[in-house]
Amino acid sequence: MSIQISDKFTKNISSPETCKAVSETLTALAHSAIEISHLCALGPLQSGFGALAGSENSDGDAQKALDVRTDEIITAALMNAPVAYYASEEQDDIMTLDSGKPLAVASDPLDGSSNIDTNVSIGTIFSIFPAATTAHDSFFRKGSEQLVGGFFVYGPQTSLVITSGKGTELYVLDRTDNVFKLAIAKIVISKDANEYAINASNFQSWYPPIRNYIEDCQMGAAGPLQKKQNMRWIGSLVADANRILMRGGIFLYPSDTRPGYGDGRLRLLYEANPVAFIIEQAGGMATDGENRILDKPLNTLHERVPFVFGSTHPVSQVKTYF
Ligand code: F6P
Ligand code: MN
């Protein structure tokens, strides 16, 4: 056993067969996360750590050796789980594992990989859907159809944030017996918070609504937001999302005028959807700036989406700038 899943989490999944399949899949993912967290913790003690793999992923990002390795670990784990289809950031197409199985899993195996060699938190994001009759239909649907959204963080704690649609829970890996244990049964994001996260180096490329909002944040108490706004940007989505779950705030990765950033940077299927599910279930909001992320149908496997999430008050405020 690698995770003590709470009764509340499993009770929310109505069919006993699906519930069993989800538990087995989470156990497999938790095993993978323990292995990946060991690799992350070894850091430069392993040769090639943080090195480029010499290849690019489906989206043109340079792959690091650890991106490729984590994808292999997760693929191998899911092959022994009740999973029919696997969609990964690191692979161009959907992998069929066993079409007779009941679940489909999408994953960003190593989120924040530009932080690997800096000893900053990185993670694994995943989304579980019921398998449809085809590989395509299993993923080309709205995020509101997810059974489970989750992410692991490999940081000072190795943790798992997860939802099956009845609240958001936090598990922490207890290294004494290598088991993920429930640490917070119900995460609640504060409705308001005066902290924003954005890669401000893109200021010149933002469209007016985001530019105006961030300028107002920078004005602090003297501006229309009437309060000093603190700023944090870790550059690993999982770590920024985890901070917002713990103490509120807003995250923005908007679309901008740079080539290739017309829909922002983050991917709908395996980044925005699971994080949006988790944030909403913790009482927060997740949009593309204006509209709810979980209502968006998927048009291409690696589709990007502008992503704004966090405490309800600032996220609703951003809408008014559009
Ligand atoms: O996976 C994409 C990602 O690494 C996220 O974890 C992070 O939020 C974002 O990209 C950082 O983007 P940038 O390098 O543009 O700040
Ligand atoms: Mn990522």
Side-chain angles (χ1 to χ4, degrees):
M1 186 191 52
S2 54
I3 175 166
Q4 288 170 355
I5 302 168
S6 78
D7 289 345
K8 192 183 99 203
F9 181 88
T10 47
K11 270 194 193 128
N12 191 41
I13 299 168
S14 50
S15 117
E17 298 79 45
T18 310
C19 185
K20 184 167 176 283
V22 166
S23 301
E24 287 172 17
T25 303
L26 284 181
T27 301
L29 288 169
H31 273 299
S32 311
I34 293 169
E35 192 178 342
I36 296 167
S37 78
H38 278 298
L39 291 174
C40 294
L42 276 174
L45 291 180
Q46 52 191 311
S47 66
F49 180 78
L52 291 172
S55 47
E56 285 184 349
N57 69 14
S58 50
D59 222 22
D61 291 343
Q63 281 179 315
K64 294 197 168 165
L66 208 57
D67 284 316
V68 177
R69 182 76 196 106
T70 51
D71 190 41
E72 288 166 357
I73 291 170
I74 289 170
T75 308
L78 295 180
M79 277 176 172
N80 293 312
V83 175
Y85 308 111
Y86 174 46
S88 165
E89 181 185 355
E90 303 306 332
Q91 295 175 38
D92 291 348
D93 302 312
I94 300 168
M95 269 181 90
T96 298
L97 304 178
D98 178 346
S99 56
K101 297 282 165 62
L103 302 178
V105 175
S107 174
D108 175 354
L110 197 61
D111 173 64
S113 59
S114 70
N115 280 326
I116 291 176
D117 43 0
T118 63
N119 198 11
V120 164
S121 295
I122 50 183
T124 296
I125 315 177
F126 62 92
S127 171
I128 306 180
F129 287 100
T133 42
T134 63
H136 177 278
D137 292 355
S138 300
F139 297 107
F140 284 70
R141 59 214 298 190
K142 293 178 181 169
S144 56
E145 294 178 48
Q146 289 171 100
L147 282 172
V148 174
F151 62 76
F152 294 94
V153 181
Y154 313 118
Q157 304 145 30
T158 288
S159 61
L160 167 64
V161 180
I162 199 164
T163 184
S164 60
K166 267 266 158 58
T168 295
E169 299 180 334
L170 173 78
Y171 294 77
V172 174
L173 178 65
D174 183 342
R175 300 264 179 202
T176 54
D177 52 6
N178 258 352
V179 174
F180 282 91
K181 296 175 184 171
L182 188 65
I184 303 178
K186 186 171 170 51
I187 300 178
V188 180
I189 303 181
S190 54
K191 296 281 167 226
D192 204 357
N194 306 311
E195 196 162 73
Y196 66 103
I198 193 163
N199 184 337
S201 70
N202 302 320
F203 185 87
Q204 293 301 329
S205 312
W206 293 333
Y207 292 101
I210 297 297
R211 237 185 220 240
N212 294 339
Y213 176 70
I214 297 302
E215 273 174 352
D216 287 349
C217 288
Q218 290 170 340
M219 294 278 288
L225 304 180
Q226 296 179 334
K227 274 188 192 139
K228 159 113 176 81
Q229 307 288 323
N230 191 32
M231 203 215 52
R232 285 285 184 278
W233 179 254
I234 298 172
S236 299
L237 173 63
V238 287
D240 282 309
N242 204 78
R243 182 192 61 255
I244 287 172
L245 286 161
M246 294 302 126
R247 67 176 193 214
I250 182 171
F251 172 103
L252 307 99
Y253 211 119
S255 54
D256 65 54
T257 59
R258 286 174 295 161
Y261 284 81
D263 288 312
R265 169 156 173 72
L266 300 169
R267 274 50 66 107
L268 178 58
L269 178 62
Y270 39 77
E271 294 184 311
N273 269 343
V275 171
F277 194 16
I278 285 166
I279 293 288
E280 282 197 2
Q281 286 299 317
M285 263 176 87
T287 71
D288 63 359
E290 295 175 276
N291 302 307
R292 186 179 180 231
I293 290 291
L294 296 181
D295 286 336
K296 289 180 169 295
L298 186 79
N299 299 304
T300 58
L301 195 63
H302 299 283
E303 177 178 351
R304 295 178 184 221
V305 71
F307 196 22
V308 177
F309 68 84
S311 299
T312 52
H313 183 239
V315 176
S316 337
Q317 234 167 6
V318 165
K319 276 192 195 190
T320 68
Y321 283 74
F322 278 82

